[in-house]
């Protein structure tokens, strides 16, 4: 075994305090560490932490039975490797200072059991967040109840920006919280659209909530604080890293009722959010775009792979996220034609009727390819609904007021 | 019963000739008449026609058992209503003249059994075409073998026109026949794209093949004749009608191996082609477009309803229509990053490694949230693949030639 570096023999804080212990765990383990999740779940955060201090100082520690039944070798080794991962961070652990830093920013540390904890993230199981560091509105339970994640690429187009802002503002009108990642591009447009519409929006950050990262979004993230929340699972002072960005995406997916990818190219990180949502059986939507735009390539792939539903407006997004019925989209209105709603017989006859000059029944029947009896019956029905008119036993189309019967619609 | 008008007691041509009898039926019955299809299938066209002449002159004709088992009342009435439909056309029947008209245009009348008959349309069963009037290349069997229908709205956008022409030319490069309806808009762009690429294209017309309808497409349809075929199931002299346009769409769907809707609004007739293809279990594709464009609304609805696969380029269309394997699309190429292909451990380490200054192993381990042993092993692997370099036991990233290792890719 290689040199293990310095290890703190005991914590410098009250590790029996459940809140402090959770805070400590959120610094010791990287986001999404399943071994940490399992330990904390089975032992509780304080006992799991006490065990870790002992294990870190012991050459061959005893692994709790819940994690390695009968000291099963692969399971034991998995936990011991985790201890190796965590060991280096024990020495620098100072959750009291980090909580003080959060307090000074007016934030709150949420842990499971707090009524403000968003239970939607518990669906992540062993990779659920160990704690959530929150600034702004701290009632994440309330914010998640009716929420949609709008995500997408930083390298987006004007089209994507427009659609993201438009969907965000429409979702706000329907009382949804707009969730995103605070990044440039689609994320920023989604937050901004919600703010402009005076709605609530939540940004999940990959680094600590003390860092308004990226720098170019500082003003935007300040505005998010005024109308919603900044949330992170790593303590203040933590830097955003590539792995943390990817893990952050699972939180966005788990927190929200539905996830919509607005614009994303083939390799965009936003697709990982969709994958997480899909794995959690949460509804996933993708906004289509021009096939000539690389920026929509990832969305189209989601549609091709049937990993997302095609969504084109806010009604369809609300339907995806909301309760069926209350949020069902209104029926589409297309350009309507007077003959709409006729059965095949009616359509044939309407089609065969002359526009101006009157025609005899047998001539109409021949043109329609129908029998004389059928034609007479059908013309009677058309007359009844105001689509045909007769004069001396001869027939032509009738023009219903305000509908352009004069021009025949031809199928494409 | 109403006055039945004049009825020809006997045909003015040799109704025992199978070709003439089919030609006659294609005038007597409107396209897609299932009773005519069943009669011709069960009795053969000549006997079915002979029966019709008798039945038209008889107040209560005997209905062939194959169409009404045990003279079942609803079935009998269905056939008698059909006789009423057909009666008016018997008097004006002149298939010899219509075949002469086709002959003067250099065309051919195809019927089932002819080696040039496209057997793909037989899948339509009782509503299969009774005959096909063809101008240009008459080997429809050959043309249909490897064919894709590109359909869409007349009222299309520049985007739709561009995509249609682009797909058509790419399909030609892959030796596909491009099938469409000869209409304005998407249809015209599809035919034109195939012609420009010097490929084969087939236009199914709603009226007779002697009429190059619509008039604005006369030159285009002449060009189609030079490189492919004009096809109709109604004889020369027949006018296109709304019902015939809709029925024509079923032929396009049945003839082709796959149908792709390039651009179509909510109520576009092109959607009926997709519905027919779907009913025949033929692959259906839809090209997405901007959600801000009404002209793509129908395509998006097909995607939402899972009635079509999202297709964005010619490779995906070829895959839809072709044989799996030979026509599978090539793997996508996105912008690649040096750390692509690394596992989670490698990614974490690569992410934690400094760009220029060298760092000690335990510092790298802490930054990555990994144990020292894991870190040493992982760094060795990174060194092996040229992504890390060490100096005196301290590590930093290595820049592989020609790859931009200097800029860290951040997840969206």
């Amino acid at each position: 075994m290689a040199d293990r570096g310095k290890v703190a023999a005991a914590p410098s804080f009250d590790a029996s305090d459940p809140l402090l212990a959770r805070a400590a765990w959120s610094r010791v383990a990287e986001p999404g560490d399943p071994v940490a999740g399992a330990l904390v779940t089975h032992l509780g955060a304080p006992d799991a932490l006490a065990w870790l201090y002992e294990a870190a100082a012991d050459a061959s520690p005893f692994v709790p039975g819940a994690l390695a039944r009968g000291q099963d070798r692969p399971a034991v080794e998995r936990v011991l490797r985790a201890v190796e991962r965590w060991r280096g961070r024990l020495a620098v652990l100072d959750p009291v200072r980090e909580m003080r830093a959060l307090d000074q920013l007016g934030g709150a540390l949420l842990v499971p059991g707090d009524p403000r904890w968003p239970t939607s993230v518990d669906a992540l199981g062993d990779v659920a967040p160990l704690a959530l560091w929150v600034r702004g509105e701290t009632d994440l339970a309330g914010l998640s109840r009716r929420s949609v994640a709008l995500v997408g690429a930083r390298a987006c187009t004007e089209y994507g920006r427009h659609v993201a802002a438009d969907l965000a503002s429409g979702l706000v009108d329907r009382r949804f919280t707009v969730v995103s990642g605070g990044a440039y591009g689609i994320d920023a447009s989604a937050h901004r659209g919600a703010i402009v519409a005076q709605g609530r929006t939540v940004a999940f950050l990959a680094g600590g909530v003390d860092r308004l990262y990226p720098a170019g979004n500082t003003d935007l993230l300040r505005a998010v604080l005024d109308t919603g929340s900044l949330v992170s699972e790593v303590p203040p002072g933590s830097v955003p890293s590539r792995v943390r960005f990817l893990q952050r995406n699972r939180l966005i997916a788990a927190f929200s009722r539905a996830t919509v990818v607005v614009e994303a190219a083939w390799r965009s990180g936003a697709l990982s959010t969709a994958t997480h949502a899909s794995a959690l059986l949460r509804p996933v939507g993708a906004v289509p775009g021009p096939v000539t735009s690389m920026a929509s390539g990832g969305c189209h792939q989601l549609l091709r792979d049937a990993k997302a539903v095609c969504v084109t407006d806010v009604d369809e997004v609300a339907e995806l996220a909301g309760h069926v019925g209350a949020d069902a989209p209104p029926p589409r209105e297309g350009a309507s034609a007077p003959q709409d709603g006729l059965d095949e017989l009616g359509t044939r006859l309407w089609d065969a009727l002359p526009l101006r000059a009157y025609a005899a029944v047998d001539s109409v029947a021949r043109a329609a390819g129908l029998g004389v009896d059928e034609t007479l019956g059908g013309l009677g029905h058309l007359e009844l609904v105001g689509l045909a008119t007769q004069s001396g036993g001869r027939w032509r189309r009738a023009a219903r007021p305000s509908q352009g019967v004069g021009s025949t619609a031809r199928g494409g």
Side-chain angles (χ1 to χ4, degrees), chain A residues 150 159-171 186 188-194 197 262:
Chain A
L150 295 180
Y159 164 72
R161 251 187 283 278
H162 164 79
V163 173
D166 202 50
L167 291 179
S169 114
L171 285 168
I186 296 300
S189 290
H191 291 305
R192 200 170 283 123
V262 177

Side-chain angles (χ1 to χ4, degrees), chain A residues 62-360:
Chain A
F62 181 82
V63 171
L67 276 82
R69 273 194 193 77
Q71 299 296 299
D72 168 58
R73 204 61 219 161
V76 165
E77 274 166 9
R78 181 163 170 262
V79 176
L80 296 186
R81 274 198 307 277
V83 173
E84 285 297 304
R85 287 202 288 277
W86 303 329
R87 179 194 305 280
R89 288 188 180 163
L90 282 182
V92 294
L93 214 47
D94 193 352
V96 174
R97 191 195 57 205
E98 285 158 351
M99 287 188 66
R100 200 181 306 127
L102 182 68
D103 196 48
Q104 281 165 359
L105 295 167
L109 179 69
L110 301 189
V111 296
D114 189 310
R116 299 166 296 174
W117 177 261
T119 51
S120 52
V121 302
D122 296 340
L124 288 166
D126 278 354
V127 295
L130 297 164
L132 290 171
W133 303 77
V134 189
R135 285 177 70 186
E137 169 61 53
T138 58
D139 179 16
L140 294 189
L143 287 170
S144 84
R145 201 159 292 132
R146 196 175 161 85
S147 58
V148 173
L150 295 180
V151 300
R154 290 166 304 136
C156 71
T157 68
E158 212 34 69
Y159 164 72
R161 251 187 283 278
H162 164 79
V163 173
D166 202 50
L167 291 179
S169 114
L171 285 168
V172 161
D173 291 345
R174 285 158 184 77
R175 297 175 295 108
F176 282 95
T177 303
V178 174
V179 183
S180 198
Y184 293 131
I186 296 300
D187 287 18
S189 290
H191 291 305
R192 200 170 283 123
I195 291 165
V196 169
Q198 303 188 292
R200 304 194 298 179
T201 185
V202 175
F204 279 89
L205 304 183
V209 289
D210 55 327
R211 306 181 167 227
L212 301 189
Y213 180 92
N217 278 355
T218 305
D219 288 346
L220 174 65
L221 294 172
R222 285 219 180 89
V224 169
L225 273 181
D226 291 337
T227 59
S229 321
L230 297 184
V231 187
S232 177
E233 59 182 320
V234 292
S238 305
V239 296
S241 69
R242 185 181 150 86
V243 171
R244 286 178 184 161
F245 274 107
L246 288 173
Q247 291 294 337
R248 181 272 315 265
N249 291 342
R250 90 189 192 292
L251 283 194
I252 293 176
F255 180 87
S256 312
R257 297 290 147 180
T259 294
V260 171
V261 185
V262 177
E263 201 178 41
W266 282 92
R267 293 170 45 84
S268 170
L271 299 180
S272 87
T273 315
T275 304
H276 284 299
S278 212
L280 293 166
L281 305 180
R282 301 278 164 81
V284 179
V287 175
V291 297
T292 45
S293 164
M294 296 290 282
S296 289
C299 292
H300 294 153
Q301 191 60 37
L302 287 174
L303 295 176
R304 275 177 66 70
D305 296 344
K307 287 185 183 153
V309 171
C310 176
V311 288
T312 66
D313 64 19
V314 68
D315 289 317
E316 293 172 357
V317 172
E319 185 197 17
L320 195 71
H323 307 283
V324 178
D327 291 308
R332 289 284 160 179
E333 287 185 25
S336 75
Q339 71 277 26
D340 287 353
L342 290 180
D343 57 10
E344 159 124 21
L345 174 71
T347 305
R348 274 175 188 267
L349 280 174
W350 193 85
D351 204 37
L353 274 178
L355 297 181
R356 289 180 192 82
Y358 290 86

